[in-house]
Amino acid sequence: MAEAIVVEDLCKEYRGRTGDRVMAVNKVSFSVHEGEIFGFIGPNGAGKTTTIKTLLGLLFPTSGKAMVMGKPAGDIEAKERISYLPESPYFYEHMTGAEVLDFYCRLFKMGGAARRKKVPELLDRVGLGKDGSRALRQYSKGMLQRVGIAQSLINDPDLLFFDEPTSGLDPIAHKDIQDLILSLRKQGKTVFLSSHQLSDVENVCNRVAIINRGELVKMGTMDELLHAGRTVITLAHLSADLLGKVQPLAEHVAEDGELTKIYTETEENVHKILDMTRGSANLVSVVPQRQTLEDLFVEIVREGRH
Amino acid sequence: MTIDKRKLLVAVVVVVIAAIVAIQLNLEPKYEKIVHAGKQIGDNKSGDMMAELPGQFIVASFTGFKQVIAGALWVRADEFFHRGHYHAIVPLVRMVTWLDPHNIDVYTTGAWHLDYNFVDYANTLSDKRYIPASIAFMKEGIRNNPNIWDLYFELGWTHYARKLMDNEMAAYYISEACKYDSVDVNTGAKQRRPEFVDRMKAHMLEKVGKLDEANEQWFAAHKRASKALEDYKKNPKAADWIDQSTIDLCNRNQSLLLLRRGWRYGDMKSYEQGLEIAERVKSPADWVQATSSARKDFESRKGKHWEGDAAKPVDAKFNASWLRAAPRVLVIKGTVNIIQASEYKGLASESFTRWYAENESAKADSKVKWRDGSRVYWRLQDADYVMPDVNKFDWTTNLENTVAWGDIYVGGGSFLTKLDMSDPRDLGMYPLKAEKYKLTIWMEPTDPGMPDFVQDRVGWRGEALMDKECIDTKTRPGYRLLKKEFILSRSDII
Amino acid sequence: MIIWAIARTTVGDALRKKILQVFLVVAIGLIVLSLSFSQTLSFSSQRGASSDFMLLKSFGLGMMALAGIFISLILGVTLIPQEFERRTIYTILAKPVKRYEFITGKFLGALMTLGIATGLMGATFIITIVLKAIGAQQAAASPTLGHVLGASAEKIALFDWNMVWAVILVYLQFMVLSSIVLLFSLIFTQTVNFFMGAAVYAVGFMSTVVISLGGAEGASSALRFFYKTVSYLLPRFDQFNIPNQLLHPETQVTNMGAYTGMMALYGLLYTLLALVVAILIFERKEV
Ligand SMILES: Nc1ncnc2c1ncn2[C@@H]1O[C@H](COP(=O)(O)OP(=O)(O)OP(=O)(O)O)[C@@H](O)[C@H]1O
Ligand SMILES: [Mg+2]
């Protein structure tokens, strides 16, 4: 499988005017496969936007490698095939929705006829068909976001960078964007989706990377990250002797009065423990625990704070 | 961007900078020619109009409304002229020209006011203390507008010739004027300098006795006028109007110069050349007649030894004196033996002018004994007053000084004038604060007010002038003039 | 094409700046008004119709210069930083737009905006003068009125090419000034840049003073060389500012059209210099 994005040991340091330095991205390595919806999540200030801007060539890496569509970040040819929706995008206010899209079409050297066809098509696609002739000054935040999405679809890109596409949007708009991403997935596009809106990512992403304080802390497919399911076996009246035998198989054991909760990681161990305790203790429940990304995220961020 | 492209761009930067410097080198003289800012003529402190001006005027020049401000100030200056606030005018006018250095009107009108219009009540004499300011102001105008003839001519004629009675300087500046043309205000096209400028140069050169140069100039003026006439005939719409009369004028004047040279100094070659040119002019009738009469005179003298009319000495018997008629009122009077009617008898110039013959044949009551119309000059000033050098003029006019001069008409061989400094309104102009005063009374053939017939008798440089005590050859080397000087004390006047 | 698209959008954006519109409207209004107040101020009693004209022209040129300098500074200072502030630059540079295309488009847009502003002011200015000239000619032609006004003696040209040169020279200096300020806007903050731009204008305007500093008594030859060099590199705004000379063409024996041509070349080179340096800087600038 070809890689849409390859990042190796990427570092980006900001130097303030006063000389203070911020390591916004620190030795980050990952790659995004073609056709994949890649979630890039982290709390505020984690370095998401910095990473995206570096991949687009808007910022220059302090060190490390950043390749996009097989070309170094910022390459003009690669830009023909990618697009970017910035965080709360903003456009020339004096223009109408149609005019601003026409302008962006021109940046792709599209001819007049092609633009006249493309612009209404895009407006329809993002649900602004009726508002194309209104000045952007009169647009709501959600409408501007839609214009942002429309401009990111002009060149029918293979790779899309969405930086927090749903922040500040109402649930319906939220849903529309999720649908859009899903349809892009169906078309085989690659989407690099940065967010701290975990619910978005959870539902649409194939793979997720979690970044905190500039460092990549966890990465994997949704299943790898979440299904790495622990199972909780709750027993009543477990003898201390038996507890001693079970403990090596368990990841974690918690006693709660009469009840003992045994956390295990693998299915094999679940069976072993059930076999060992069968009859000697009362089985209360066996619950396979699928962690939410939320939990994982909070857990990771908390860990980072220590 | 690749490193190579960056290098290329840096190279472009270097080339563009070099091109900018090259263009600037090329532009600088053009710009200088247009603006003439900061160009100094010699040690011309007076040229620095900005010196000693208040700083806020520099700010005014930034606003971009220079000409508007200048226009308003100029109106104000004009009010001052009419109200007689003379001292306020000099700085004001300087500001106007600093803001609007190419407004010719301001220079000519301003300098004219300074020279002519600060007049006393009793004698209608102008205040001569402002003459240096006036001249310096005109020179400033020339410095700012050196490419057109106007101001050179104005300075030479209106100021040096008419006011300072200095034909030498007048000749210099009018000669300068002849080096430049002007520009049409509306079309911006080059415009010919009028013909009279060139003729005036010849006249001025002649007046001061630079005869060869004057003759050359007549040739030049003639040539220029002929060319203009040709152009006009070819294309009457595009060229300025001119006709044969202008060329006749050159011919008549040039022939007169040559004829006079013959008459006054016995130069037969000039005499003959003069006649040849004079005979080319076929009108008016009296000119043709006078020319043929002169031709006869020439033929009668040809081959004989003759030194010219000016070789015969005239005893000027110059006598001048002053007296105090009342406190602050001086009377200047005298006699001068220039020129009795009989002096014209038998002069070569008579063949042409026939003045003596006509006077003789007139009826007894209209016959005159003296040929009147010459002028005597007087000048009263603080004994130690020296006119400030206009080339180093610092724009201050010392109003403690007393300087006055004027001319007196000579009639019947005598002259008389009254200088009344007693009017209370004139005390500012005649402060009489010095202890000693110098009163000079003089007469010179080259002065602009002197009629031609005086030079017919005594020569251009006063060669024939004799006098027991009053001949002066130092004031203007090479020239003879009559001069008498008195030193007066304050109490003599007050 | 891309450059053109960016330039066009920049013009549309710039022309909608309220402050620019205010300067433009006030300048145009005052130029039109000057038609009436040059009559009320009437210097004509002593100086004739031509001095009336001179006043009208001087005022118009001054007004254009003043308004234009502010417009140039405002445009130069804001155009590029606003792209950052409003984050419009991100979407543009994420497209296949080369950085030099963006900068060149911005420069071109600024110059076009200035061209429109100067064109509007200049056209008003020249039309005002022509209207006044027609009025003066009619007054002179009318036997009674012409006599009263004493205008008959003076011939007033309907159209004065020098005013065209003046408008062009005025535009050229805006071009140079805004290019320099655009370049500076990549380095300095807006307030700093505004005053830097004003300072560059003032120093360039007073280049002759800089040169004469070099000629001052006691200046060492090294110092003199330094000032001389500086004066050659400074944008010579004084050389664009010759309204006085253009108002008195009768005192010049110079082809103003040719001079304007030279100044145009000079101005274009200066703009090119600013542009290339700006490209070099922007190429390495993080956005
Ligand atoms: N231009 C800048 N100069 C200096 N520091 C910066 C700059 N931009 C971002 N930073 C710092 O770099 C770090 C990462 O910022 P970044 O914008 O990449 O975070 P983010 O993950 O996008 O956050 P958010 O979710 O709030 O958008 C932060 O600490 C931020 O303060
Ligand atoms: Mg961000």
Side-chain angles (χ1 to χ4, degrees), chain B residues 128-187:
Chain B
K128 304 295 187 292
R129 294 170 301 184
Y130 285 103
I131 283 187
S134 159
I135 304 272
F137 189 54
M138 284 302 293
K139 290 186 114 176
E140 169 63 27
I142 288 176
R143 197 177 73 88
N144 285 330
N145 302 282
N147 298 323
I148 50 169
W149 63 273
D150 308 53
L151 291 177
Y152 295 101
F153 184 82
E154 181 76 13
L155 176 57
W157 176 243
T158 310
H159 299 277
Y160 276 116
R162 303 282 303 284
K163 204 73 200 176
L164 276 154
M165 292 158 310
D166 186 340
N167 264 350
E168 255 184 310
M169 287 305 281
Y172 170 75
Y173 276 105
I174 295 173
S175 299
E176 286 296 301
C178 285
K179 293 176 184 167
Y180 304 95
D181 277 320
S182 50
V183 175
D184 186 276
V185 193
N186 291 319
T187 63

Side-chain angles (χ1 to χ4, degrees), chain C residues 1 15 57 62 72 77 89 114 123 149 162 166 171 176 197 268 284:
Chain C
M1 166 88 180
L15 283 180
K57 291 172 179 175
S72 311
V77 163
I89 194 169
L114 283 171
L149 296 176
N162 283 300
Y171 173 70
V176 173
L268 284 170
R284 294 273 166 100

Side-chain angles (χ1 to χ4, degrees), chain B residues 24-220:
Chain B
Q24 179 55 31
L25 281 169
N26 197 320
L27 264 171
E28 188 122 53
K30 291 196 175 66
Y31 176 63
E32 279 299 312
K33 202 173 149 210
I34 293 174
V35 175
H36 298 284
K39 186 179 139 199
Q40 297 284 328
I41 302 170
D43 185 18
N44 191 354
K45 205 177 159 213
S46 65
D48 195 359
M49 291 299 265
M50 262 174 80
E52 296 149 47
L53 272 187
Q56 61 262 38
F57 283 93
I58 297 176
V59 177
S61 82
F62 263 112
T63 60
F65 301 108
K66 290 209 277 190
Q67 289 73 229
V68 178
I69 297 170
L73 286 176
W74 182 229
V75 169
R76 192 116 184 85
D78 210 59
E79 274 169 29
F80 284 172
F81 280 122
H82 296 300
R83 287 208 222 121
H85 295 327
Y86 302 140
H87 321 313
I89 288 169
V90 178
L92 206 56
V93 168
R94 283 180 58 215
M95 271 172 217
V96 174
T97 58
W98 176 63
L99 289 168
D100 189 0
H102 296 290
N103 196 336
I104 301 294
D105 277 359
V106 174
Y107 297 105
T108 52
T109 318
W112 176 65
H113 274 309
L114 287 170
D115 245 16
Y116 284 79
N117 293 356
F118 300 177
V119 187
D120 68 4
Y121 286 88
N123 314 286
T124 52
L125 282 172
S126 63
D127 192 336
K128 304 295 187 292
R129 294 170 301 184
Y130 285 103
I131 283 187
S134 159
I135 304 272
F137 189 54
M138 284 302 293
K139 290 186 114 176
E140 169 63 27
I142 288 176
R143 197 177 73 88
N144 285 330
N145 302 282
N147 298 323
I148 50 169
W149 63 273
D150 308 53
L151 291 177
Y152 295 101
F153 184 82
E154 181 76 13
L155 176 57
W157 176 243
T158 310
H159 299 277
Y160 276 116
R162 303 282 303 284
K163 204 73 200 176
L164 276 154
M165 292 158 310
D166 186 340
N167 264 350
E168 255 184 310
M169 287 305 281
Y172 170 75
Y173 276 105
I174 295 173
S175 299
E176 286 296 301
C178 285
K179 293 176 184 167
Y180 304 95
D181 277 320
S182 50
V183 175
D184 186 276
V185 193
N186 291 319
T187 63
K190 197 166 168 174
Q191 204 174 39
R192 301 186 77 249
R193 159 179 86 243
E195 305 300 325
F196 72 81
V197 182
D198 297 69
R199 294 202 299 274
M200 191 55 82
K201 175 182 171 185
H203 282 304
M204 281 296 155
L205 289 168
E206 181 187 333
K207 262 286 178 200
V208 296
K210 292 182 173 169
L211 305 177
D212 291 332
E213 285 172 49
N215 195 30
E216 286 299 313
Q217 179 58 23
W218 282 120
F219 276 124

Side-chain angles (χ1 to χ4, degrees), chain A residues 37-40 48-49 52 56 82-88 125 145 148-153 157 159-166 176-182 184 189-196 200-201 204:
Chain A
I37 310 294
F38 188 82
F40 198 58
K48 304 181 294 290
T49 302
I52 294 180
L56 288 165
I82 67 177
S83 75
Y84 173 43
L85 169 65
E87 256 178 288
S88 13
R125 179 145 183 208
Q145 191 76 3
I149 289 166
Q151 65 82 31
S152 74
L153 298 175
L159 167 60
L160 297 97
F161 289 90
F162 284 177
D163 195 356
E164 305 195 16
T166 54
D176 285 348
I177 287 175
Q178 285 209 359
D179 290 348
L180 173 78
I181 294 171
L182 287 172
L184 288 169
K189 308 286 185 193
T190 315
V191 179
F192 187 95
L193 180 63
S194 128
S195 186
H196 50 240
D200 311 346
V201 183
V204 297

Side-chain angles (χ1 to χ4, degrees), chain A residues 182-254:
Chain A
L182 287 172
S183 85
L184 288 169
R185 180 155 86 174
K186 260 186 226 148
Q187 290 169 43
K189 308 286 185 193
T190 315
V191 179
F192 187 95
L193 180 63
S194 128
S195 186
H196 50 240
Q197 293 276 336
L198 298 152
S199 48
D200 311 346
V201 183
E202 224 165 355
N203 296 337
V204 297
C205 287
N206 304 92
R207 272 199 315 145
V208 172
I210 300 176
I211 184 169
N212 190 28
R213 296 186 169 189
E215 286 175 45
L216 202 66
V217 273
K218 206 142 199 156
M219 181 164 69
T221 62
M222 286 309 260
D223 287 342
E224 277 168 359
L225 285 180
L226 306 176
H227 280 254
R230 293 185 273 194
T231 306
V232 186
I233 305 169
T234 310
L235 298 166
H237 313 296
L238 185 69
S239 65
D241 173 43
L242 206 52
L243 182 63
K245 282 186 188 161
V246 168
Q247 211 139 27
L249 298 173
E251 188 202 353
H252 178 62
V253 177

Side-chain angles (χ1 to χ4, degrees), chain A residues 4-19:
Chain A
I5 299 173
V6 177
V7 170
E8 275 170 27
D9 289 332
L10 183 72
C11 294
K12 176 65 202 174
E13 189 179 51
Y14 288 113
R15 283 190 198 90
R17 274 177 199 277
T18 48

